[in-house]
Amino acid sequence: MSEGRDIPPELAEIDRDLRGIRFQPRASLGPEVLGRLRRGERSKGPVPPRRRRPALAALAAVLVAAAGAALALRGSGNVVVDRCCYDLDGGGEMDDGVVVFAERDAKVHQLRVYEDLDGSASFTTGDLVRLDRGGTPSMQEAAAAGLVTIEHCCLDFDGGGPADDGLLILGVPPDRVVMAAIYERTAGDDRPAGSAGFPLR
């Protein structure tokens, strides 16, 4: 179709909107894929026939290289990691997620806990933000009766690649979040899973 000449007038506006759409991989895609490859994770879907595996492996390598190149071009070392879906507010539903804005494998600049209202398994403009904090953990409101601790370990929450980070949430069920923090477990530490003794960021 050439530059709108064959488009009916009633579809011209839709055509303009569609031509304006641009896609790019999320910042955390490259580190997430590389981390999964390093850990030896395999696809959870049906296994492709053996004759198609080399082609799929080549395609996967190209996608990983493209995502890595896109991240390298950003150059700043900052990443955005979006993890969903867990019960982070104590409501019983696995409908909450966290968005972490951080320096790769280092300082957390912003941490947002949200409820995935649209079921997209990622943060979108229609989702409900339960907590949005800056670069340091702090209580967003006075501690209340019924305060509980919720922890998720170990995943890659800071874009560093290895699944060595934990998420610590303090809240009051069923839907209040009053504090959230990320902590990193150091390699070789044999303490039980949990945040005890690890610095929060």
Side-chain angles (χ1 to χ4, degrees):
M1 205 174 279
S2 57
E3 293 303 311
R5 276 183 252 158
D6 301 322
I7 298 174
E10 63 270 14
L11 298 178
E13 185 176 345
I14 293 173
D15 181 64
R16 263 194 316 276
D17 291 343
L18 290 174
R19 289 176 187 272
I21 294 173
R22 297 290 180 263
F23 295 95
Q24 65 181 40
R26 58 185 163 86
S28 61
L29 177 63
E32 180 179 335
V33 170
L34 290 172
R36 288 180 178 200
L37 287 174
R38 284 187 200 126
R39 290 190 302 274
E41 280 189 32
R42 294 181 55 120
S43 169
K44 292 185 171 101
V47 178
R50 289 191 182 277
R51 64 183 175 280
R52 289 180 44 206
R53 287 183 189 172
L56 291 176
L59 177 60
V62 168
L63 289 174
V64 168
L71 290 171
L73 289 174
R74 294 176 74 120
S76 67
N78 291 334
V79 294
V80 179
V81 178
D82 187 342
R83 295 274 183 222
C84 189
C85 296
Y86 315 97
D87 178 16
L88 300 179
D89 58 12
E93 298 284 331
M94 305 287 276
D95 60 353
D96 307 309
V98 61
V99 180
V100 182
F101 301 83
E103 294 170 30
R104 187 183 318 283
D105 204 22
K107 180 174 175 49
V108 171
H109 293 290
Q110 185 180 7
L111 194 153
R112 179 179 299 150
V113 179
Y114 65 90
E115 186 168 333
D116 183 29
L117 294 178
D118 61 5
S120 65
S122 64
F123 180 71
T124 57
T125 55
D127 291 335
L128 178 63
V129 175
R130 294 280 183 207
L131 177 127
D132 198 354
R133 59 149 258 219
T136 56
S138 60
M139 298 290 279
Q140 297 297 315
E141 54 188 271
L147 195 66
V148 299
T149 302
I150 299 169
E151 290 190 57
H152 285 282
C153 187
C154 295
L155 294 168
D156 179 18
F157 284 111
D158 61 10
D164 60 355
D165 307 310
L167 172 66
L168 174 69
I169 303 279
L170 296 180
V172 180
D175 58 11
R176 286 176 58 200
V177 176
V178 297
M179 195 277 286
I182 301 293
Y183 61 92
E184 184 163 327
R185 295 181 60 83
T186 53
D189 196 306
D190 57 358
R191 281 178 280 182
S195 60
F198 294 100
L200 303 180
R201 20 188 196 118

